[in-house]
PDB file of all heavy atoms in Angstrom:
ATOM      1  N   LEU A 308      -7.008  27.597  99.583  1.00  0.00           N
ATOM      2  CA  LEU A 308      -7.431  26.242  99.221  1.00  0.00           C
ATOM      3  C   LEU A 308      -7.869  25.479 100.459  1.00  0.00           C
ATOM      4  O   LEU A 308      -7.136  25.402 101.448  1.00  0.00           O
ATOM      5  CB  LEU A 308      -6.276  25.504  98.536  1.00  0.00           C
ATOM      6  CG  LEU A 308      -6.526  24.045  98.165  1.00  0.00           C
ATOM      7  CD1 LEU A 308      -7.508  23.958  97.011  1.00  0.00           C
ATOM      8  CD2 LEU A 308      -5.219  23.346  97.795  1.00  0.00           C
ATOM      9  N   TRP A 309      -9.069  24.926 100.414  1.00  0.00           N
ATOM     10  CA  TRP A 309      -9.573  24.071 101.492  1.00  0.00           C
ATOM     11  C   TRP A 309      -9.568  22.636 100.997  1.00  0.00           C
ATOM     12  O   TRP A 309     -10.251  22.299 100.038  1.00  0.00           O
ATOM     13  CB  TRP A 309     -10.989  24.469 101.896  1.00  0.00           C
ATOM     14  CG  TRP A 309     -11.107  25.848 102.475  1.00  0.00           C
ATOM     15  CD1 TRP A 309     -11.575  26.967 101.856  1.00  0.00           C
ATOM     16  CD2 TRP A 309     -10.758  26.247 103.807  1.00  0.00           C
ATOM     17  NE1 TRP A 309     -11.538  28.042 102.705  1.00  0.00           N
ATOM     18  CE2 TRP A 309     -11.040  27.641 103.917  1.00  0.00           C
ATOM     19  CE3 TRP A 309     -10.237  25.588 104.917  1.00  0.00           C
ATOM     20  CZ2 TRP A 309     -10.821  28.359 105.090  1.00  0.00           C
ATOM     21  CZ3 TRP A 309     -10.012  26.305 106.076  1.00  0.00           C
ATOM     22  CH2 TRP A 309     -10.304  27.668 106.156  1.00  0.00           C
ATOM     23  N   ARG A 310      -8.778  21.769 101.656  1.00  0.00           N
ATOM     24  CA  ARG A 310      -8.803  20.334 101.350  1.00  0.00           C
ATOM     25  C   ARG A 310      -9.700  19.661 102.381  1.00  0.00           C
ATOM     26  O   ARG A 310      -9.424  19.704 103.571  1.00  0.00           O
ATOM     27  CB  ARG A 310      -7.396  19.736 101.424  1.00  0.00           C
ATOM     28  CG  ARG A 310      -6.627  19.861 100.130  1.00  0.00           C
ATOM     29  CD  ARG A 310      -5.403  18.963 100.118  1.00  0.00           C
ATOM     30  NE  ARG A 310      -4.711  19.036  98.844  1.00  0.00           N
ATOM     31  CZ  ARG A 310      -4.981  18.286  97.798  1.00  0.00           C
ATOM     32  NH1 ARG A 310      -5.934  17.381  97.878  1.00  0.00           N
ATOM     33  NH2 ARG A 310      -4.300  18.415  96.676  1.00  0.00           N
ATOM     34  N   VAL A 311     -10.758  19.025 101.900  1.00  0.00           N
ATOM     35  CA  VAL A 311     -11.759  18.433 102.781  1.00  0.00           C
ATOM     36  C   VAL A 311     -11.603  16.915 102.788  1.00  0.00           C
ATOM     37  O   VAL A 311     -11.490  16.300 101.713  1.00  0.00           O
ATOM     38  CB  VAL A 311     -13.177  18.819 102.304  1.00  0.00           C
ATOM     39  CG1 VAL A 311     -14.238  18.192 103.194  1.00  0.00           C
ATOM     40  CG2 VAL A 311     -13.317  20.333 102.282  1.00  0.00           C
ATOM     41  N   PRO A 312     -11.584  16.272 103.967  1.00  0.00           N
ATOM     42  CA  PRO A 312     -11.468  14.812 104.019  1.00  0.00           C
ATOM     43  C   PRO A 312     -12.573  14.123 103.211  1.00  0.00           C
ATOM     44  O   PRO A 312     -13.703  14.613 103.124  1.00  0.00           O
ATOM     45  CB  PRO A 312     -11.609  14.495 105.518  1.00  0.00           C
ATOM     46  CG  PRO A 312     -11.148  15.742 106.208  1.00  0.00           C
ATOM     47  CD  PRO A 312     -11.605  16.871 105.320  1.00  0.00           C
ATOM     48  N   VAL A 313     -12.230  12.980 102.620  1.00  0.00           N
ATOM     49  CA  VAL A 313     -13.207  12.207 101.857  1.00  0.00           C
ATOM     50  C   VAL A 313     -14.052  11.370 102.806  1.00  0.00           C
ATOM     51  O   VAL A 313     -13.748  11.266 104.004  1.00  0.00           O
ATOM     52  CB  VAL A 313     -12.507  11.297 100.824  1.00  0.00           C
ATOM     53  CG1 VAL A 313     -11.839  12.142  99.753  1.00  0.00           C
ATOM     54  CG2 VAL A 313     -11.462  10.402 101.508  1.00  0.00           C
ATOM     55  N   ASP A 314     -15.129  10.780 102.285  1.00  0.00           N
ATOM     56  CA  ASP A 314     -15.987   9.963 103.145  1.00  0.00           C
ATOM     57  C   ASP A 314     -15.410   8.558 103.292  1.00  0.00           C
ATOM     58  O   ASP A 314     -14.324   8.259 102.793  1.00  0.00           O
ATOM     59  CB  ASP A 314     -17.426   9.944 102.608  1.00  0.00           C
ATOM     60  CG  ASP A 314     -17.546   9.276 101.235  1.00  0.00           C
ATOM     61  OD1 ASP A 314     -16.627   8.530 100.840  1.00  0.00           O
ATOM     62  OD2 ASP A 314     -18.561   9.493 100.560  1.00  0.00           O
ATOM     63  N   LYS A 315     -16.154   7.669 103.956  1.00  0.00           N
ATOM     64  CA  LYS A 315     -15.644   6.328 104.253  1.00  0.00           C
ATOM     65  C   LYS A 315     -15.396   5.497 102.990  1.00  0.00           C
ATOM     66  O   LYS A 315     -14.644   4.515 103.025  1.00  0.00           O
ATOM     67  CB  LYS A 315     -16.618   5.593 105.173  1.00  0.00           C
ATOM     68  CG  LYS A 315     -18.014   5.399 104.606  1.00  0.00           C
ATOM     69  CD  LYS A 315     -18.923   4.713 105.602  1.00  0.00           C
ATOM     70  CE  LYS A 315     -20.338   4.562 105.067  1.00  0.00           C
ATOM     71  NZ  LYS A 315     -20.413   3.781 103.824  1.00  0.00           N
ATOM     72  N   ASP A 316     -16.032   5.892 101.875  1.00  0.00           N
ATOM     73  CA  ASP A 316     -15.823   5.189 100.608  1.00  0.00           C
ATOM     74  C   ASP A 316     -14.750   5.860  99.741  1.00  0.00           C
ATOM     75  O   ASP A 316     -14.592   5.521  98.569  1.00  0.00           O
ATOM     76  CB  ASP A 316     -17.140   5.132  99.824  1.00  0.00           C
ATOM     77  CG  ASP A 316     -18.211   4.337 100.561  1.00  0.00           C
ATOM     78  OD1 ASP A 316     -17.878   3.279 101.126  1.00  0.00           O
ATOM     79  OD2 ASP A 316     -19.380   4.784 100.593  1.00  0.00           O
ATOM     80  N   PHE A 317     -14.062   6.842 100.324  1.00  0.00           N
ATOM     81  CA  PHE A 317     -12.983   7.577  99.651  1.00  0.00           C
ATOM     82  C   PHE A 317     -13.489   8.429  98.493  1.00  0.00           C
ATOM     83  O   PHE A 317     -12.762   8.712  97.551  1.00  0.00           O
ATOM     84  CB  PHE A 317     -11.874   6.617  99.181  1.00  0.00           C
ATOM     85  CG  PHE A 317     -11.213   5.887 100.312  1.00  0.00           C
ATOM     86  CD1 PHE A 317     -11.652   4.633 100.702  1.00  0.00           C
ATOM     87  CD2 PHE A 317     -10.182   6.480 101.020  1.00  0.00           C
ATOM     88  CE1 PHE A 317     -11.063   3.964 101.762  1.00  0.00           C
ATOM     89  CE2 PHE A 317      -9.576   5.819 102.090  1.00  0.00           C
ATOM     90  CZ  PHE A 317     -10.026   4.560 102.462  1.00  0.00           C
ATOM     91  N   ARG A 318     -14.741   8.847  98.580  1.00  0.00           N
ATOM     92  CA  ARG A 318     -15.311   9.781  97.612  1.00  0.00           C
ATOM     93  C   ARG A 318     -15.440  11.156  98.263  1.00  0.00           C
ATOM     94  O   ARG A 318     -15.437  11.284  99.492  1.00  0.00           O
ATOM     95  CB  ARG A 318     -16.696   9.301  97.146  1.00  0.00           C
ATOM     96  CG  ARG A 318     -16.681   7.916  96.532  1.00  0.00           C
ATOM     97  CD  ARG A 318     -18.071   7.504  96.042  1.00  0.00           C
ATOM     98  NE  ARG A 318     -18.116   6.068  95.752  1.00  0.00           N
ATOM     99  CZ  ARG A 318     -17.692   5.520  94.617  1.00  0.00           C
ATOM    100  NH1 ARG A 318     -17.223   6.301  93.659  1.00  0.00           N
ATOM    101  NH2 ARG A 318     -17.744   4.220  94.428  1.00  0.00           N
ATOM    102  N   ALA A 319     -15.554  12.190  97.436  1.00  0.00           N
ATOM    103  CA  ALA A 319     -15.730  13.544  97.961  1.00  0.00           C
ATOM    104  C   ALA A 319     -16.946  13.587  98.887  1.00  0.00           C
ATOM    105  O   ALA A 319     -18.019  13.068  98.559  1.00  0.00           O
ATOM    106  CB  ALA A 319     -15.917  14.525  96.807  1.00  0.00           C
ATOM    107  N   ASP A 320     -16.772  14.201 100.060  1.00  0.00           N
ATOM    108  CA  ASP A 320     -17.845  14.324 101.047  1.00  0.00           C
ATOM    109  C   ASP A 320     -18.607  15.616 100.760  1.00  0.00           C
ATOM    110  O   ASP A 320     -18.142  16.708 101.104  1.00  0.00           O
ATOM    111  CB  ASP A 320     -17.244  14.333 102.454  1.00  0.00           C
ATOM    112  CG  ASP A 320     -18.296  14.247 103.546  1.00  0.00           C
ATOM    113  OD1 ASP A 320     -19.415  14.750 103.329  1.00  0.00           O
ATOM    114  OD2 ASP A 320     -17.999  13.706 104.620  1.00  0.00           O
ATOM    115  N   VAL A 321     -19.763  15.496 100.132  1.00  0.00           N
ATOM    116  CA  VAL A 321     -20.513  16.675  99.686  1.00  0.00           C
ATOM    117  C   VAL A 321     -20.938  17.539 100.875  1.00  0.00           C
ATOM    118  O   VAL A 321     -20.845  18.771 100.820  1.00  0.00           O
ATOM    119  CB  VAL A 321     -21.745  16.250  98.857  1.00  0.00           C
ATOM    120  CG1 VAL A 321     -22.529  17.478  98.399  1.00  0.00           C
ATOM    121  CG2 VAL A 321     -21.303  15.428  97.646  1.00  0.00           C
ATOM    122  N   LYS A 322     -21.397  16.915 101.951  1.00  0.00           N
ATOM    123  CA  LYS A 322     -21.842  17.683 103.120  1.00  0.00           C
ATOM    124  C   LYS A 322     -20.680  18.455 103.740  1.00  0.00           C
ATOM    125  O   LYS A 322     -20.842  19.613 104.144  1.00  0.00           O
ATOM    126  CB  LYS A 322     -22.473  16.753 104.156  1.00  0.00           C
ATOM    127  CG  LYS A 322     -23.798  16.153 103.721  1.00  0.00           C
ATOM    128  CD  LYS A 322     -24.388  15.263 104.810  1.00  0.00           C
ATOM    129  CE  LYS A 322     -25.739  14.690 104.372  1.00  0.00           C
ATOM    130  NZ  LYS A 322     -26.310  13.795 105.410  1.00  0.00           N
ATOM    131  N   ALA A 323     -19.525  17.818 103.834  1.00  0.00           N
ATOM    132  CA  ALA A 323     -18.353  18.490 104.400  1.00  0.00           C
ATOM    133  C   ALA A 323     -17.910  19.651 103.515  1.00  0.00           C
ATOM    134  O   ALA A 323     -17.505  20.709 104.020  1.00  0.00           O
ATOM    135  CB  ALA A 323     -17.210  17.489 104.574  1.00  0.00           C
ATOM    136  N   MET A 324     -17.997  19.476 102.204  1.00  0.00           N
ATOM    137  CA  MET A 324     -17.617  20.554 101.296  1.00  0.00           C
ATOM    138  C   MET A 324     -18.605  21.711 101.399  1.00  0.00           C
ATOM    139  O   MET A 324     -18.207  22.878 101.354  1.00  0.00           O
ATOM    140  CB  MET A 324     -17.529  20.027  99.862  1.00  0.00           C
ATOM    141  CG  MET A 324     -16.380  19.037  99.655  1.00  0.00           C
ATOM    142  SD  MET A 324     -16.258  18.351  97.989  1.00  0.00           S
ATOM    143  CE  MET A 324     -15.602  19.736  97.086  1.00  0.00           C
ATOM    144  N   ARG A 325     -19.878  21.404 101.582  1.00  0.00           N
ATOM    145  CA  ARG A 325     -20.885  22.463 101.717  1.00  0.00           C
ATOM    146  C   ARG A 325     -20.576  23.342 102.934  1.00  0.00           C
ATOM    147  O   ARG A 325     -20.751  24.562 102.885  1.00  0.00           O
ATOM    148  CB  ARG A 325     -22.274  21.854 101.865  1.00  0.00           C
ATOM    149  CG  ARG A 325     -23.377  22.912 102.067  1.00  0.00           C
ATOM    150  CD  ARG A 325     -24.730  22.314 102.341  1.00  0.00           C
ATOM    151  NE  ARG A 325     -25.306  21.742 101.131  1.00  0.00           N
ATOM    152  CZ  ARG A 325     -25.476  20.453 100.901  1.00  0.00           C
ATOM    153  NH1 ARG A 325     -25.107  19.569 101.831  1.00  0.00           N
ATOM    154  NH2 ARG A 325     -26.003  20.020  99.783  1.00  0.00           N
ATOM    155  N   ARG A 326     -20.088  22.728 104.010  1.00  0.00           N
ATOM    156  CA  ARG A 326     -19.813  23.489 105.237  1.00  0.00           C
ATOM    157  C   ARG A 326     -18.684  24.503 105.049  1.00  0.00           C
ATOM    158  O   ARG A 326     -18.560  25.446 105.825  1.00  0.00           O
ATOM    159  CB  ARG A 326     -19.473  22.539 106.388  1.00  0.00           C
ATOM    160  CG  ARG A 326     -20.674  21.753 106.905  1.00  0.00           C
ATOM    161  CD  ARG A 326     -20.364  21.091 108.231  1.00  0.00           C
ATOM    162  NE  ARG A 326     -19.399  20.022 108.112  1.00  0.00           N
ATOM    163  CZ  ARG A 326     -19.698  18.747 107.884  1.00  0.00           C
ATOM    164  NH1 ARG A 326     -20.972  18.389 107.729  1.00  0.00           N
ATOM    165  NH2 ARG A 326     -18.759  17.827 107.803  1.00  0.00           N
ATOM    166  N   HIS A 327     -17.851  24.317 104.032  1.00  0.00           N
ATOM    167  CA  HIS A 327     -16.732  25.233 103.797  1.00  0.00           C
ATOM    168  C   HIS A 327     -17.089  26.369 102.835  1.00  0.00           C
ATOM    169  O   HIS A 327     -16.295  27.291 102.654  1.00  0.00           O
ATOM    170  CB  HIS A 327     -15.531  24.464 103.236  1.00  0.00           C
ATOM    171  CG  HIS A 327     -14.752  23.723 104.278  1.00  0.00           C
ATOM    172  ND1 HIS A 327     -15.171  22.527 104.811  1.00  0.00           N
ATOM    173  CD2 HIS A 327     -13.574  24.021 104.896  1.00  0.00           C
ATOM    174  CE1 HIS A 327     -14.281  22.105 105.692  1.00  0.00           C
ATOM    175  NE2 HIS A 327     -13.307  22.982 105.771  1.00  0.00           N
ATOM    176  N   ILE A 328     -18.256  26.306 102.225  1.00  0.00           N
ATOM    177  CA  ILE A 328     -18.631  27.344 101.261  1.00  0.00           C
ATOM    178  C   ILE A 328     -18.987  28.638 101.983  1.00  0.00           C
ATOM    179  O   ILE A 328     -19.695  28.633 102.989  1.00  0.00           O
ATOM    180  CB  ILE A 328     -19.825  26.882 100.396  1.00  0.00           C
ATOM    181  CG1 ILE A 328     -19.397  25.710  99.504  1.00  0.00           C
ATOM    182  CG2 ILE A 328     -20.347  28.030  99.529  1.00  0.00           C
ATOM    183  CD1 ILE A 328     -20.518  25.137  98.653  1.00  0.00           C
ATOM    184  N   ASN A 329     -18.451  29.745 101.486  1.00  0.00           N
ATOM    185  CA  ASN A 329     -18.776  31.066 102.035  1.00  0.00           C
ATOM    186  C   ASN A 329     -18.846  32.068 100.886  1.00  0.00           C
ATOM    187  O   ASN A 329     -18.794  31.690  99.714  1.00  0.00           O
ATOM    188  CB  ASN A 329     -17.756  31.489 103.104  1.00  0.00           C
ATOM    189  CG  ASN A 329     -16.326  31.530 102.555  1.00  0.00           C
ATOM    190  OD1 ASN A 329     -16.076  32.013 101.453  1.00  0.00           O
ATOM    191  ND2 ASN A 329     -15.381  31.003 103.326  1.00  0.00           N
ATOM    192  N   ARG A 330     -18.959  33.337 101.217  1.00  0.00           N
ATOM    193  CA  ARG A 330     -19.145  34.354 100.176  1.00  0.00           C
ATOM    194  C   ARG A 330     -17.927  34.522  99.276  1.00  0.00           C
ATOM    195  O   ARG A 330     -18.008  35.159  98.225  1.00  0.00           O
ATOM    196  CB  ARG A 330     -19.489  35.694 100.819  1.00  0.00           C
ATOM    197  CG  ARG A 330     -18.386  36.259 101.710  1.00  0.00           C
ATOM    198  CD  ARG A 330     -18.826  37.553 102.354  1.00  0.00           C
ATOM    199  NE  ARG A 330     -17.758  38.121 103.191  1.00  0.00           N
ATOM    200  CZ  ARG A 330     -17.892  39.244 103.879  1.00  0.00           C
ATOM    201  NH1 ARG A 330     -19.031  39.914 103.840  1.00  0.00           N
ATOM    202  NH2 ARG A 330     -16.884  39.690 104.595  1.00  0.00           N
ATOM    203  N   ASN A 331     -16.756  33.966  99.685  1.00  0.00           N
ATOM    204  CA  ASN A 331     -15.540  34.080  98.873  1.00  0.00           C
ATOM    205  C   ASN A 331     -15.271  32.842  98.017  1.00  0.00           C
ATOM    206  O   ASN A 331     -14.287  32.798  97.276  1.00  0.00           O
ATOM    207  CB  ASN A 331     -14.322  34.337  99.767  1.00  0.00           C
ATOM    208  CG  ASN A 331     -14.342  35.723 100.380  1.00  0.00           C
ATOM    209  OD1 ASN A 331     -14.726  36.693  99.725  1.00  0.00           O
ATOM    210  ND2 ASN A 331     -13.954  35.824 101.639  1.00  0.00           N
ATOM    211  N   THR A 332     -16.116  31.840  98.123  1.00  0.00           N
ATOM    212  CA  THR A 332     -15.904  30.604  97.372  1.00  0.00           C
ATOM    213  C   THR A 332     -16.142  30.836  95.880  1.00  0.00           C
ATOM    214  O   THR A 332     -17.198  31.329  95.485  1.00  0.00           O
ATOM    215  CB  THR A 332     -16.846  29.495  97.868  1.00  0.00           C
ATOM    216  OG1 THR A 332     -16.644  29.295  99.275  1.00  0.00           O
ATOM    217  CG2 THR A 332     -16.569  28.187  97.135  1.00  0.00           C
ATOM    218  N   ILE A 333     -15.155  30.464  95.077  1.00  0.00           N
ATOM    219  CA  ILE A 333     -15.284  30.614  93.625  1.00  0.00           C
ATOM    220  C   ILE A 333     -15.591  29.285  92.938  1.00  0.00           C
ATOM    221  O   ILE A 333     -16.218  29.255  91.888  1.00  0.00           O
ATOM    222  CB  ILE A 333     -14.020  31.226  92.985  1.00  0.00           C
ATOM    223  CG1 ILE A 333     -12.788  30.350  93.272  1.00  0.00           C
ATOM    224  CG2 ILE A 333     -13.808  32.656  93.471  1.00  0.00           C
ATOM    225  CD1 ILE A 333     -11.569  30.702  92.456  1.00  0.00           C
TER     226      ILE A 333
END
Side-chain angles (χ1 to χ4, degrees):
L308 177 71
W309 296 103
R310 273 195 177 272
V311 179
V313 293
D314 64 18
K315 60 182 178 59
D316 297 318
F317 298 94
R318 302 182 194 278
D320 189 329
V321 180
K322 291 181 179 179
M324 293 178 74
R325 178 185 286 110
R326 288 194 291 270
H327 281 78
I328 293 177
N329 58 43
R330 63 182 181 181
N331 290 321
T332 303
I333 59 168

